[in-house]
Amino acid sequence: MNIADNIKKFTSELGPEITLVAISKTKPHNDILEAYQAGQREFGENKVQEMTEKWEALPRDIRWHMVGHVQTNKVKYMAPFVSLVHAGDSLKLLKEIDKEAEKNDRIIDCLLQIKIAEEESKFGLSRVEAEAILNSEKFKSFKHINVRGLMGMATFTEDMQQVKREFHNLKVIYDDLKAEYPHFDILSMGMSGDYRIAIECGSNMVRIGSSIFGDRNN
Ligand SMILES: *Cc1c(COP(=O)(O)O)cnc(C)c1O
């Protein structure tokens, strides 16, 4: 794996309209620095503690994305620096992010994670639950959180028609919500195995791990 070459390849393939988030979970600092030196600034992790350790050790102009499920008791550790929380999946979590953002005198950008996979057992909200959150008085009272769009993960399957159906469903939900919330500007969908389909279906932010850094041992 030549990480720098991979970053350059993705950057030119994606162009300026699609944000590349390099998912560096489980990867060492040196791998991240190699991507950084090739110009990459957006990195994603799925564990708060690992992301915080990397934030402390690595260049300060890295923009850190939390792409995994977050427990409310971990929010305080990432609140000083996190750039975008992808997996907003409950009002309780959003409330905690709002509270910790206020303590840090920040407004934290966030996405709502929508459950699109036809398979069970993934985190995320239904469309109805997401709308209920956005329309709630409680949510509207939050001053330190900015929900900018949606995130979703397709089923892990060889059946690309199914993947396409799931991404298309998310794009429809995104477009409908954007009509009501015109400031929405981020649709985070697509990983190493399915990012081309995700882009075809309207993604403007992809989360790529193994195709940049190589396979993970987990
Ligand atoms: C690990 C992870 C990715 C990247 O997966 P790859 O298949 O390695 O590209 C993307 N999104 C989330 C939420 C992840 O946890």
Side-chain angles (χ1 to χ4, degrees):
M1 272 287 156
N2 186 320
I3 294 168
D5 284 351
N6 293 339
I7 291 292
K8 285 173 194 144
K9 181 186 85 73
F10 272 105
T11 307
S12 75
E13 182 185 342
L14 297 175
E17 305 296 325
I18 295 166
T19 303
L20 172 64
V21 183
I23 305 298
S24 50
K25 61 191 184 197
T26 78
K27 296 296 175 182
H29 296 177
N30 275 346
D31 286 7
I32 296 173
L33 283 172
E34 197 176 329
Y36 179 90
Q37 273 141 20
Q40 181 65 20
R41 291 296 178 272
E42 317 278 334
F43 290 87
E45 294 282 334
N46 69 341
K47 296 205 172 77
V48 171
Q49 187 180 337
E50 185 177 345
M51 181 173 74
T52 303
E53 285 164 11
K54 286 172 174 173
W55 167 66
E56 282 167 353
L58 291 163
R60 282 303 154 117
D61 62 341
I62 289 179
R63 292 167 46 81
W64 290 102
H65 295 241
M66 173 43 60
V67 301
H69 174 69
V70 181
Q71 292 172 285
T72 48
N73 63 349
K74 301 282 170 61
V75 170
K76 58 180 177 289
Y77 302 111
M78 67 176 182
F81 68 91
V82 69
S83 160
L84 180 65
V85 180
H86 288 236
D89 59 6
S90 70
L91 188 59
K92 179 171 167 242
L93 175 61
L94 299 179
K95 179 172 181 245
E96 183 68 13
I97 295 171
D98 181 67
K99 185 182 98 190
E100 293 298 328
E102 180 169 19
K103 281 189 196 161
N104 285 279
D105 200 18
R106 301 184 64 208
I107 293 173
I108 295 181
D109 286 347
C110 204
L111 305 176
L112 296 184
Q113 181 174 0
I114 305 292
K115 192 198 285 253
I116 52 169
E118 290 166 8
E119 71 186 5
E120 269 310 308
S121 93
K122 290 244 166 86
F123 287 108
L125 301 162
S126 69
R127 175 191 179 132
V128 169
E129 289 167 335
E131 283 172 335
I133 287 175
L134 291 168
N135 292 326
S136 69
E137 290 308 313
K138 187 88 203 162
F139 176 75
K140 288 176 186 163
S141 74
F142 298 158
K143 298 282 180 289
H144 295 268
I145 187 163
N146 184 19
V147 172
R148 292 182 55 181
L150 305 179
M151 180 274 239
M153 289 168 82
T155 303
F156 189 71
T157 172
E158 303 279 296
D159 181 352
M160 288 304 150
Q161 287 309 316
Q162 180 179 348
V163 170
K164 197 169 183 167
R165 209 157 55 228
E166 293 173 355
F167 283 146
H168 177 73
N169 286 343
L170 184 57
K171 175 64 157 63
V172 169
I173 299 171
Y174 176 79
D175 286 343
D176 288 351
L177 288 177
K178 188 172 166 63
E180 222 177 313
Y181 302 93
H183 71 281
F184 271 24
D185 61 352
I186 300 175
L187 178 54
S188 167
M189 58 183 197
M191 317 190 351
S192 294
D194 57 19
Y195 75 94
R196 286 200 175 97
I197 302 175
I199 290 167
E200 243 179 77
C201 292
S203 168
N204 63 15
M205 182 176 278
V206 294
R207 309 177 309 272
I208 309 285
S210 45
S211 289
I212 293 171
F213 296 107
D215 288 336
R216 292 174 299 271
N217 304 316
N218 62 359

